[in-house]
Amino acid sequence: MAGSENQKFCLQEVLDSFQLCLSPNKEVYVEHYVAGWRGLVKFLNSLGSVFGFISKDAVSKIQILVNFLNSENGSQYATVQSMVKFELDNKLVDVDKKGICPESGCRTLLRLHRALRWLELFLERLRTSKEDDKTSVMCREAYNESLAQHHPWVVRTAAGMAFFALPGRPTFFEVMDVGPPEQVVAILGKAVPLISEVYLITEELYLKHNLLDLP
Ligand code: 1PZ
């Protein structure tokens, strides 16, 4: 994946990945989940280096999951469902506190899963926003309602400062690179429900296995 984060971003690609994410029986494919995040990291990188600390963390989590996919147990990581089963069955998850498995697939994916909720809330605000609405405000509101609750003060502060560097809505829409604003809004209209579905399926799975607070 070297260098792939620097290529041109297109919102359509992210939409495609999240579309491919769900199997016919509604399991979540890790490969496409990770591809969706790669697309998002590309987008974040094209917004400027102030967001570097955020994309760096996302990239390292993506890499952990890719390594599992490419490992000898790769087939067990095909879907989030199979990953959860495999790691729980084989005691590969630190359930209470970080110890022998500080970088399990389950806890790593949980971080991206929480960020997916932020994304859903943010994109929905963006979709319904008006021309002069501020992206930084939409981003902060979405963050406070979701990810912020899982971040310590120092991360919240850094994130809060980065939000000020977000470009305005017109530039933001241009960087999405799918055409005029109406087209962006239309694609967001498809993307948000998809992201929401992937989020809900994962959330229910993690809840069922009591994995929502993994350290
Ligand atoms: C378009 C604007 C982008 C704003 C992104 C909003 C999210 C702010 C997240 C700030 C993350 C700061 C860096 C590191 C955080 C980590 O401590 C946590 C917990 O991981 P642990 O320490 O437990 O291993 N990491 C995360 O919460 C995952 C964050 C992933 C963020 C991906 C954002 C992708 C943005 C896509 C842009 C459309």
Side-chain angles (χ1 to χ4, degrees):
M1 63 180 262
S4 64
E5 284 75 33
N6 300 322
Q7 286 160 20
K8 201 168 174 208
F9 169 82
C10 178
L11 177 62
Q12 184 67 46
E13 269 179 48
V14 173
L15 178 64
D16 293 345
S17 297
F18 282 108
Q19 217 142 27
L20 291 170
C21 240
L22 288 180
S23 77
N25 61 342
K26 305 276 179 199
E27 298 205 359
V28 179
Y29 292 120
V30 175
E31 181 192 351
H32 299 297
Y33 193 90
V34 159
W37 277 108
R38 269 192 191 151
L40 290 163
V41 166
K42 243 197 257 181
F43 179 70
L44 194 58
N45 287 345
S46 65
L47 293 180
S49 52
V50 229
F51 304 101
F53 75 104
I54 302 175
S55 68
K56 229 173 121 183
D57 185 69
V59 166
S60 82
K61 292 185 165 56
I62 290 169
Q63 194 57 52
I64 291 171
L65 294 171
V66 168
N67 290 346
F68 281 126
L69 275 174
N70 294 335
S71 71
E72 54 183 306
N73 293 319
S75 62
Q76 314 279 3
Y77 286 83
T79 67
V80 178
Q81 285 72 7
S82 64
M83 171 187 82
V84 164
K85 180 170 184 341
F86 173 72
E87 291 198 340
L88 286 178
D89 286 354
N90 291 282
K91 307 219 178 329
L92 295 172
V93 187
D94 289 334
V95 181
D96 303 316
K97 56 176 189 299
K98 271 200 192 185
I100 21 177
C101 316
E103 294 195 335
S104 65
C106 287
R107 70 84 65 192
T108 302
L109 194 124
L110 176 62
R111 270 52 187 181
L112 295 178
H113 168 69
R114 290 168 174 167
L116 200 65
R117 175 70 180 153
W118 161 80
L119 185 73
E120 177 194 345
L121 295 172
F122 175 58
L123 293 184
E124 179 56 14
R125 278 177 166 78
L126 207 55
R127 186 182 76 80
T128 53
S129 62
K130 292 186 283 306
E131 219 169 305
D132 47 5
D133 283 345
K134 282 194 166 3
T135 50
S136 56
V137 173
M138 297 182 238
C139 188
R140 176 168 306 102
E141 287 175 356
Y143 177 73
N144 287 343
E145 278 180 34
S146 57
L147 260 185
Q149 294 157 23
H150 304 284
H151 287 164
W153 180 84
V154 53
V155 172
R156 292 201 304 270
T157 307
M161 290 196 307
F163 298 158
F164 284 116
L166 283 174
R169 185 178 176 273
T171 309
F172 213 89
F173 275 22
E174 267 169 46
V175 181
M176 287 180 157
D177 191 32
V178 279
E182 311 83 67
Q183 184 72 15
V184 176
V185 170
I187 295 209
L188 287 176
K190 291 188 196 154
V192 174
L194 265 176
I195 290 174
S196 166
E197 189 177 12
V198 171
Y199 176 83
L200 274 179
I201 291 173
T202 312
E203 179 78 5
E204 277 169 18
L205 177 76
Y206 269 60
L207 180 67
K208 186 170 118 197
H209 293 282
N210 203 13
L211 297 173
L212 284 169
D213 295 310
L214 288 182

